[in-house]
Amino acid sequence: MKISRLLPFSLAAVCLLCALPTRADILVTEGTDIRRYSDTGTFLGTFLGGLDVPMGIAASETTGDVFISQAGSGEIRRYDNDGTNLGLVAPGQADAKPGGLAWVKDRLYVAFGGTKAIGSYAGKGAAEPPRLLAGLPAAAQDVASAEPNNLPGVYFTTSDDATGEGMLGYWDGVDGHREKVIHTFAPGSQPRGAVAWNGDVFVALLKAGKVVRVNAKGEAEDWMAPLNKFSSPQYVAENMPVGLAIRDGRLFVSSYGLRDQGGRKVFIYQISDKAPQTNQTINCLSAPQYLAFIPAADPKGSARMLPLGDSGKPGDAVLRATADAKTGTLPFLSWDSEGGDRAKLNLLRSPVTLVGRAAGEVVRFTGTAEKSGTDGVLFRLAGGGAEILWTVRVKDGAMTMDFTGSGDGLAKFERLELVLPFDATAAATCPFPSGWTNDPDDSKKAKIILPSLIYAPDLGSLRVSCPQAPSLQGRWEGRREFRSTTITLELPVPQSGKEIVLNFEPWNLPQPKAVADARQWNAARRAWLNLLQVSAYRPDGDFAHNINYPAEPGGVWANNVVSDPVSSFVFKLADHVLLMPELAPGISATSLLRRTVELWMNDAIAPTGQVSYVYNAGTPMDGNPAVLIGAWAYVEATGDTDWLNRNIERLEFVSKFTEGRDIDGDGIVESQNSGNRNSHSHGETAWDCISSGHKNAYVNALAYRAWRGMADLESRAGRPEQAAHFTKLADRLKEGYVKTFLNPETGWLGWWRSADGELHDIWSDLPTSLAITYGLVSPEQGREMLDKHWASLEKTGFKNFELGIPLNTRPIPPSLMLTGFGGKLEDGSDTFGLWLNGGCTVMNTNIWLAANYTVGRTERADMVLNAMLARQQRGVFSNGGSFQNGIVDAPPNGAEFFDWKGNPCGYEGHLVYTYSWVQSLLLRDPETRAKIFRTLK
């Protein structure tokens, strides 16, 4: 093709977004989803989910319609501001691989990577063949409107993925070869996104890891240095810029890099800065690519959206939903059963839909919705020769769904399915059912049984029931890769003239007798269920953290709904269940505890008897005693001696591994890890970045409680000899405990004594607090120990007690940490206050509080607990959370760990163990402590 080398630019600047209102949201393509954020970075929910490799995204400045290309299917579709599908612009051509999009003067421009072409479609597309600029030297990557530079067409980028060579070009958009090459990029550049501004063009160079600014003469200069450089065989920078957008003099740059190296963000820069720096970012959940601004969401919805819900009086439960009149779906659902103002964030990843099952195949309905009275919507749905009338009513914070059916095809249906796809990035919404049943085809696909709670962390609970099918079942499935979960309720087919009803009623946990202050309980109640996350079934090939995960079971206790089950902290679940076994009528927490214990003792255990750390991986030392504590707590809470008699020998097998680790016969258990300095091993406890090993005070405290519990279980089972065996083990451990771990220099307990004999005291209260709570240290001696540790904390100047207390009060040197987690300075001070090197892990505070209440330091403990309750009551993050910000799965953005200033420094976002701190409100009561820890006294 004939190419002219230079193109004169006009220096007249025209704002690309001049037609947008003052407020605008930004859409970001991430994985299979498109997510919506405010231009200040607040997450506003998933705009569209489950797309087939969404790439390009563009918005019409006149109508606000959104155009999206999908490289997988090859389709280009048009949507409105609410995400409603408005039709096809271009049919699927998978080999064309449509990528970047731009909307210019009622024409849509498309970069086709597969066919090395730029195309344009008029108006709504589909009816008119596209104009094409073909024969480009490499795959087209992106297109950008040239209007800001007072030109009629588009800029485009091409890139050869093999060499990284590429170019920035211009096309005026008319038929013929009127394209111009503006600048060519050397190998190793790999151009991607482009955007025009003030006579120049900014271009993102993915492989070079930087953004360049190309002027009117075609000269390029580095405008933004590489975001962050890391050693990699493939890329200079793991933070790889892809998409660009401009608004209000700010350049938005998406970074496609690895999340654990600071990538997967949208960085925001002031264009006027001579040396661009930014402290503003949008933290994305998947790898972000292309960006587009659209008018800010109207909180009242569009004309086709039928709102449902009411706020009632202050303090009343709130449920809000929105029906789409054109599609017959519910695209918005949120609630606050606690009677606050947090029912703002859409909990859905995509709309709630109703489908049918006939001959094992999914039958999709089409239909519309119309208002039904003042508080309802009627959906008229058709498909498979049947008509379904689906009425949804919202009143007084509750939602009722009625289903009736008619038509000759109704008899062919096996069932209806109500599909509730939740966005786990908004909140780790979770079912807590009355029971479970295994799928006949795959036992890992455990099904929930109604009635069930469905709770959204910090937003409250709905109790779901079906009078016509009291034991109605549902599937609970998820994907960690996409941070998505789905509840699919399997409804009976409504026969002609009869109806099926689903009730979604707000439910709040009753105030325990151990808590006298209603205000304190109301704050803690928002967080109580946050600890009871139930794993969703995850299929083979769920890709996350560069790992193809094998299938993982549903229906057991896990870090969060799409994260790993972990054995080490089952004792925290045990305490939670003992403190409040009954959650709602017909719904008990004991079933989750039983299923979880059975997983670890039967399925996730080595032939040696060592329980795995995560499902079928890892070798912890705290897993075995934690699971035994869980088994004792289940029997204690239920009195289920039949279960005990069936499983007592298996529990003995689990214990035998721990018993066999007393290598030197002194009564203290030793682990496989040496714990020596510079071993840099994965820790043998849940505090896994700390390279502890050999004789571990924390592990031995758990073993002591486990053996006291086993002695009690053996007595219940009528086995006195075995009971005496476990009593002797516990007594011998207690006898040698303090002298093994006491640090005479500090006056409290060190964490572990390594194989070389060194006592490693990282200045953490945790081993001391656990030993006090479990009775390994007397209250008098424990009070003195805690006072000395409190003095060390006061010297640090730490005052942010709404985060609890830090894990340790001085830095941990890298020689005692897993490689990469201890910092570069010899004393570890450069990472102090982060993660497990002195960060506020929140979950450790529960044990500290219980210990202080045990020794009578009530005033000090109340000061910390009340600060945490106040934070919990007011909410901190945009999803209403105080110690969680949805499922993030991207360090350091998760709000389960904090630095001392309160900035998140975790990665999960929602971590169940965090919420053990609310147990402290009940454990403040001496009678409750005596009940929970009765075998230890």
Side-chain angles (χ1 to χ4, degrees):
M1 78 183 165
K2 186 177 179 181
I3 296 178
S4 174
R5 181 62 185 150
L6 295 176
L7 175 73
F9 286 6
S10 167
L11 296 180
V14 179
C15 177
L16 177 64
L17 299 166
C18 59
L20 286 175
T22 302
R23 293 179 57 246
D25 299 336
I26 187 168
L27 298 181
V28 184
T29 62
E30 302 181 45
T32 62
D33 302 336
I34 296 179
R35 302 189 185 278
R36 188 172 194 152
Y37 302 86
S38 72
D39 63 358
T40 59
T42 301
F43 177 60
L44 301 176
T46 297
F47 181 74
L48 290 169
L51 301 176
D52 194 355
V53 194
M55 292 291 290
I57 184 168
S60 165
E61 296 93 339
T62 54
T63 67
D65 289 347
V66 178
F67 299 86
I68 296 167
S69 65
Q70 299 181 68
S73 65
E75 290 184 345
I76 303 170
R77 289 187 173 272
R78 186 169 65 100
Y79 301 83
D80 73 357
N81 189 275
D82 296 305
T84 301
N85 190 340
L86 301 181
L88 198 66
V89 174
Q93 301 177 64
D95 59 342
K97 296 189 184 306
L101 303 177
W103 178 265
V104 186
K105 293 189 180 301
D106 295 328
R107 291 197 72 85
L108 180 69
Y109 290 81
V110 186
F112 290 107
T115 56
K116 299 180 180 180
I118 305 295
S120 75
Y121 298 83
K124 299 179 180 179
E128 174 195 335
R131 295 176 183 169
L132 283 176
L133 169 65
L136 298 176
Q141 300 293 341
D142 196 20
V143 286
S145 172
E147 283 190 298
N149 290 343
N150 204 25
L151 293 170
V154 290
Y155 300 109
F156 62 88
T157 58
T158 70
S159 178
D160 185 323
D161 284 347
T163 66
E165 295 177 282
M167 74 172 185
L168 171 66
Y170 170 79
W171 181 39
D172 62 9
V174 302
D175 294 328
H177 299 293
R178 300 188 183 180
E179 70 281 359
K180 307 285 184 180
V181 172
I182 300 168
H183 185 83
T184 57
F185 295 98
S189 299
Q190 208 160 6
R192 281 294 189 266
V195 65
W197 175 260
N198 219 23
D200 296 336
V201 182
F202 292 91
V203 181
L205 303 182
L206 180 144
K207 205 165 187 178
K210 60 186 178 182
V211 174
V212 299
R213 188 170 186 164
V214 183
N215 65 19
K217 297 179 181 180
E219 300 167 338
E221 63 176 354
D222 290 353
W223 180 78
M224 184 189 74
L227 297 171
N228 276 314
K229 286 189 176 181
F230 297 94
S231 59
S232 169
Q234 292 180 309
Y235 298 107
V236 173
E238 296 292 3
N239 285 333
M240 301 172 285
V242 178
L244 305 177
I246 288 178
R247 178 171 175 80
D248 297 336
R250 295 174 295 162
L251 180 65
F252 292 71
V253 183
S254 70
S255 169
Y256 190 79
L258 299 178
R259 66 168 63 90
D260 56 1
Q261 295 185 348
R264 302 201 173 179
K265 299 179 181 180
V266 175
F267 292 86
I268 305 172
Y269 299 87
Q270 290 293 333
I271 296 177
S272 59
D273 290 350
K274 293 182 179 180
Q277 301 287 332
T278 184
N279 291 319
Q280 283 189 290
T281 60
I282 298 173
N283 296 320
C284 300
L285 282 305
S286 294
Q289 295 197 62
Y290 290 104
L291 319 171
F293 281 100
I294 63 171
D298 182 353
K300 297 181 180 179
S302 66
R304 65 177 141 269
M305 294 297 171
L306 307 175
L308 291 163
D310 61 304
S311 57
K313 299 177 182 178
D316 288 349
V318 180
L319 187 146
R320 292 194 174 95
T322 300
D324 188 330
K326 289 192 174 183
T327 63
T329 61
L330 291 171
F332 183 95
L333 178 64
S334 189
W335 62 81
D336 186 348
S337 67
E338 298 291 334
D341 61 351
R342 303 188 193 184
K344 301 173 182 177
L345 181 67
N346 192 2
L347 297 173
L348 302 176
R349 180 171 181 256
S350 54
V352 176
T353 57
L354 187 71
V355 299
R357 285 273 179 177
E361 299 296 323
V362 175
V363 178
R364 303 197 180 278
F365 298 117
T366 59
T368 58
E370 60 194 53
K371 286 293 289 184
S372 175
T374 58
D375 55 10
V377 166
L378 173 63
F379 297 98
R380 298 183 183 274
L381 306 177
E387 182 183 48
I388 304 294
L389 299 183
W390 170 24
T391 304
V392 181
R393 291 188 172 85
V394 174
K395 187 175 182 180
D396 298 331
M399 178 169 63
T400 301
M401 295 184 178
D402 299 343
F403 306 89
T404 60
S406 61
D408 294 338
L410 196 64
K412 299 178 183 178
F413 283 88
E414 300 155 13
R415 62 176 182 262
L416 300 180
E417 295 184 346
L418 183 71
V419 183
L420 297 103
F422 291 106
D423 186 349
T425 63
T429 305
C430 182
F432 204 97
S434 58
W436 297 86
T437 183
N438 289 334
D439 188 294
D441 298 324
D442 187 344
S443 61
K444 291 182 179 179
K445 296 181 179 180
K447 289 186 176 183
I448 66 174
I449 300 174
L450 296 193
S452 175
L453 295 178
I454 300 178
Y455 75 89
D458 297 296
L459 301 181
S461 306
L462 303 176
R463 185 179 183 273
V464 188
S465 61
C466 178
Q468 294 77 21
S471 299
L472 184 145
Q473 297 179 9
R475 303 192 298 278
W476 172 231
E477 301 164 316
R479 293 291 295 269
R480 182 170 187 167
E481 179 179 4
F482 307 132
R483 268 77 86 210
S484 64
T485 57
T486 302
I487 297 174
T488 304
L489 296 179
E490 300 175 345
L491 309 176
V493 179
Q495 301 303 312
S496 181
K498 298 183 179 180
E499 66 178 7
I500 302 297
V501 179
L502 281 176
N503 294 315
F504 297 78
E505 302 168 292
W507 177 258
N508 292 329
L509 299 173
Q511 184 172 331
K513 294 180 179 178
V515 180
D517 191 322
R519 291 174 300 176
Q520 286 185 318
W521 173 243
N522 289 342
R525 189 174 63 188
R526 277 193 181 273
W528 189 266
L529 290 177
N530 293 3
L531 185 136
L532 298 177
Q533 288 274 284
V534 181
S535 63
Y537 166 74
R538 292 158 51 197
D540 284 318
D542 186 9
F543 188 84
H545 296 282
N546 301 315
I547 299 171
N548 274 309
Y549 281 82
E552 297 217 7
V556 296
W557 193 55
N559 283 354
N560 60 55
V561 289
V562 291
S563 188
D564 300 304
V566 174
S567 63
S568 297
F569 276 145
V570 172
F571 74 94
K572 287 183 175 285
L573 172 64
D575 290 343
H576 220 62
V577 171
L578 285 173
L579 288 167
M580 187 172 292
E582 299 302 318
L583 302 177
I587 301 172
S588 172
T590 56
S591 62
L592 177 64
L593 179 57
R594 185 191 69 247
R595 287 178 59 85
T596 301
V597 168
E598 290 173 346
L599 172 81
W600 295 113
M601 73 180 192
N602 294 325
D603 300 332
I605 188 170
T608 61
Q610 185 169 22
V611 170
S612 298
Y613 178 43
V614 297
Y615 185 62
N616 286 333
T619 55
M621 282 300 295
D622 53 0
N624 286 60
V627 170
L628 292 175
I629 294 168
W632 172 82
Y634 170 72
V635 176
E636 179 78 355
T638 62
D640 190 349
T641 53
D642 288 341
W643 183 90
L644 173 62
N645 291 329
R646 290 195 309 271
N647 290 283
I648 187 63
E649 292 184 359
R650 189 64 179 177
L651 296 174
E652 291 172 351
F653 174 69
V654 174
S655 175
K656 193 171 290 293
F657 173 80
T658 304
E659 297 172 39
R661 290 305 306 176
D662 179 9
I663 304 301
D664 57 11
D666 65 349
I668 302 297
V669 173
E670 290 92 26
S671 73
Q672 299 101 318
N673 290 356
S674 72
N676 293 342
R677 287 185 182 273
N678 297 310
S679 62
H680 300 299
S681 61
H682 189 280
E684 93 278 44
T685 72
W687 311 87
D688 50 15
C689 297
I690 301 173
S691 296
S692 60
H694 200 54
K695 297 178 188 289
N696 189 312
Y698 176 84
V699 169
N700 277 272
L702 293 180
Y704 175 74
R705 183 181 178 188
W707 286 335
R708 290 292 191 212
M710 282 297 294
D712 186 61
L713 291 178
E714 297 283 12
S715 295
R716 286 175 183 254
R719 298 157 67 94
E721 291 184 9
Q722 291 87 341
H725 166 73
F726 287 109
T727 297
K728 182 178 179 180
L729 287 173
D731 288 346
R732 290 190 69 238
L733 191 156
K734 183 175 183 179
E735 181 182 353
Y737 187 85
V738 173
K739 64 183 179 183
T740 300
F741 299 112
L742 179 64
N743 183 353
E745 295 181 5
T746 61
W748 58 70
L749 301 181
W751 194 306
W752 76 96
R753 190 175 293 277
S754 55
D756 59 12
E758 183 181 1
L759 179 65
H760 297 280
D761 183 355
I762 60 172
W763 286 44
S764 172
D765 77 283
L766 186 57
T768 300
S769 294
L770 198 62
I772 293 168
T773 304
Y774 288 179
L776 285 160
V777 174
S778 69
E780 295 75 21
Q781 188 178 15
R783 185 183 307 115
E784 183 178 351
M785 290 179 175
L786 287 179
D787 287 348
K788 290 178 178 179
H789 183 271
W790 180 255
S792 77
L793 179 60
E794 288 185 316
K795 288 181 180 178
T796 68
F798 180 84
K799 298 291 185 182
N800 201 0
F801 293 113
E802 68 174 34
L803 304 173
I805 67 167
L807 180 62
N808 43 285
T809 62
R810 72 174 183 183
I812 304 175
S815 60
L816 300 180
M817 297 287 280
L818 182 64
T819 302
F821 288 89
K824 296 180 180 180
L825 295 181
E826 186 176 351
D827 65 351
S829 58
D830 53 330
T831 59
F832 182 55
L834 301 174
W835 202 256
L836 297 187
N837 187 6
C840 297
T841 62
V842 185
M843 55 187 160
N844 62 292
T845 303
N846 174 49
I847 299 170
W848 179 87
L849 287 167
N852 275 270
Y853 288 131
T854 299
V855 302
R857 291 294 187 238
T858 303
E859 183 177 350
R860 182 164 67 203
D862 282 350
M863 182 268 293
V864 174
L865 178 59
N866 287 332
M868 299 178 78
L869 288 169
R871 177 187 175 94
Q872 179 63 39
Q873 182 73 326
R874 74 174 185 272
V876 174
F877 300 103
S878 59
N879 69 343
S882 297
F883 298 94
Q884 59 85 21
N885 57 344
I887 295 179
V888 176
D889 205 27
N893 305 318
E896 78 275 19
F897 294 166
F898 300 89
D899 65 20
W900 288 18
K901 294 181 180 179
N903 300 307
C905 64
Y907 80 96
E908 295 272 18
H910 187 118
L911 188 62
V912 287
Y913 325 124
T914 298
Y915 290 95
S916 61
W917 74 267
V918 296
Q919 297 171 1
S920 307
L921 183 60
L922 280 68
L923 292 174
R924 185 180 185 279
D925 174 55
E927 291 185 10
T928 301
R929 289 199 308 275
K931 177 183 177 182
I932 300 301
F933 304 124
R934 72 168 182 83
T935 62
L936 303 175
K937 304 301 181 184

